[in-house]
Amino acid sequence: MEQLMWRNGFLASTALLAAGLLVGCGGKPKTDEPVAPTPVEAARVAAPGGSGAVTGAGTLERRREMALSFRIPGVLTALRVEAGDRVQAGQAIAAIDPAGVDARQQQTAADLERARRDVERDKALFDKGYVSRQRIDDRTSALKAAQAAYDAARFDRRWASLVSPVSGVVLERRAQAGEVVAAGQVVARVADLSSPLVLRLPLAARDAARIRVGDTAQVTVEDLGGQALNGRVTRVGEAADTRTGAILVEIELSAPPPNLRSGQVAHAALQVRAAPGATTGYARIPAEAVLEAAGQRAFVYRFDGGKARRTAVSFGGFDGDDALVAGLPGGTQVITAGAGFVADGEAVRVIDPTRLGR
């Protein structure tokens, strides 16, 4: 009986040990699962030649937009337009109380008449030898001064009424009737609708230096659903903004849709040439694709048949957000985002960054 119990216990222990081994091994032989390719982003290398793209955002404006103001101060008695109103050239927009300038005109007219009488009287006395030539000269000078004062007062009287210099649309109204306005204070802004619609684009000096008059541009406005509009560079500023250092580049839109308005924000992409002094033998790639740059040598990862291939390139330095490299054939795809997390020969797959997070 004791032997039978020992045998049964040994068999049970053996069975438990075998069961434990099977559980530890997963119950069946373990097989290696395939590793998913590492997701990366890539950019295609353009053929060497120094061309590239410059992008930026700016404000749409009519080329001719005028801030209207009075030449003289006064009380605003009428402002006959609102923002959005159409106006014709010569149309009266606003007026100030003319009482002050009328009084000045009357005073200068009286001074002018008195100066004329003085000249006529003294000329008669001069002919009789009662006054000197110097007296006649002084009277003549006083007459010229009185005439100038009268002309100035008459000119100011015309400025008591403000008229539109162009046919267009009122962009903004900045005053109300009854307010006291100073000389030169803007009361309204008017745009000449016959002038072209332009995009004024502030760019960094290094980017503006690569742009020439006549370069083409693609302009998009968010309010139009991203519709691309054709444009052409018509002006490149000669002076930088003292606060930001930006240089204004003017892009004229060809055949803009009628629903575009002055003041809307638009984005532009311009195809430009190399920066001054850049070697034209270098191609431009995103700066994030460059690894271990030292001197004139750097490394990148090429996307080659689903694999990442570490490749040595000649390094020409950085230009803004781009790096200048040589030694890559045109059309080669270099890994950008994710280049620092892959190894030579590792399986990778290129993803569209716009689809991330969806």
Side-chain angles (χ1 to χ4, degrees), residues 153-167:
R154 189 172 57 177
F155 179 77
D156 287 346
R157 180 61 180 85
R158 295 205 306 266
W159 279 93
S161 179
L162 191 62
V163 300
S164 175
V166 296
S167 296

Side-chain angles (χ1 to χ4, degrees), residues 19 26 73 113 119 142 144 158 162 171 205 223 254 270 321 324 335:
E113 181 62 27
V119 169
K144 291 179 180 179
R158 295 205 306 266
L162 191 62
L171 299 177
D223 295 340
S254 56
L270 302 96
D321 295 331
L324 305 177
I335 297 175

Side-chain angles (χ1 to χ4, degrees), residues 261-286:
R261 297 289 186 268
S262 180
Q264 287 183 280
V265 175
H267 300 264
L270 302 96
Q271 293 300 318
V272 296
R273 43 190 61 78
T279 305
T280 56
Y282 287 114
R284 307 178 73 87
I285 63 174

Side-chain angles (χ1 to χ4, degrees), residues 183-258:
Q185 178 182 336
V186 177
V187 297
R189 290 179 57 242
V190 175
D192 183 359
L193 294 182
S194 65
S195 65
L197 196 63
V198 298
L199 171 62
R200 291 192 166 94
L201 198 67
L203 293 177
R206 65 171 181 270
D207 292 332
R210 300 164 59 191
I211 296 174
R212 301 289 183 273
V213 172
D215 286 347
T216 59
Q218 290 290 312
V219 178
T220 56
V221 182
E222 292 183 0
D223 295 340
L224 298 182
Q227 176 186 351
L229 306 174
N230 294 324
R232 183 178 64 88
V233 176
T234 52
R235 294 179 186 174
V236 179
E238 292 294 334
D241 187 280
T242 56
R243 296 171 299 171
T244 64
I247 294 176
L248 276 182
V249 173
E250 184 182 275
I251 301 171
E252 181 178 324
L253 300 186
S254 56

Side-chain angles (χ1 to χ4, degrees), residues 97 142 256 357:
D97 188 349

Side-chain angles (χ1 to χ4, degrees), residues 44-181:
R44 197 170 298 277
V45 178
S51 63
V54 168
T55 60
T59 305
L60 292 172
E61 298 176 8
R62 291 287 173 179
R63 177 166 290 161
R64 294 188 62 201
E65 293 187 1
M66 287 140 284
L68 304 184
S69 60
F70 290 96
R71 182 178 176 273
I72 56 176
V75 178
L76 191 63
T77 57
L79 186 54
R80 303 179 180 92
V81 294
E82 297 287 347
D85 289 350
R86 296 295 181 98
V87 293
Q88 299 297 320
Q91 176 181 336
I93 290 179
I96 59 175
D97 188 349
V101 288
D102 285 345
R104 181 166 173 255
Q105 187 175 6
Q106 291 174 5
Q107 178 183 352
T108 56
D111 293 341
L112 178 60
E113 181 62 27
R114 182 173 58 251
R116 285 174 178 167
R117 290 197 306 267
D118 291 342
V119 169
E120 292 173 358
R121 182 179 62 252
D122 285 352
K123 277 185 177 181
L125 294 174
F126 176 77
D127 292 339
K128 296 179 180 180
Y130 294 124
V131 298
S132 65
R133 168 60 62 180
Q134 181 179 356
R135 177 74 173 266
I136 295 299
D137 293 340
D138 290 343
R139 293 297 191 187
T140 303
S141 297
L143 176 61
K144 291 179 180 179
Q147 182 68 57
Y150 175 75
D151 292 342
R154 189 172 57 177
F155 179 77
D156 287 346
R157 180 61 180 85
R158 295 205 306 266
W159 279 93
S161 179
L162 191 62
V163 300
S164 175
V166 296
S167 296
V169 64
V170 178
L171 299 177
E172 186 180 9
R173 169 182 171 144
R174 293 190 181 179
Q176 299 292 336
E179 293 182 8
V180 177
V181 294

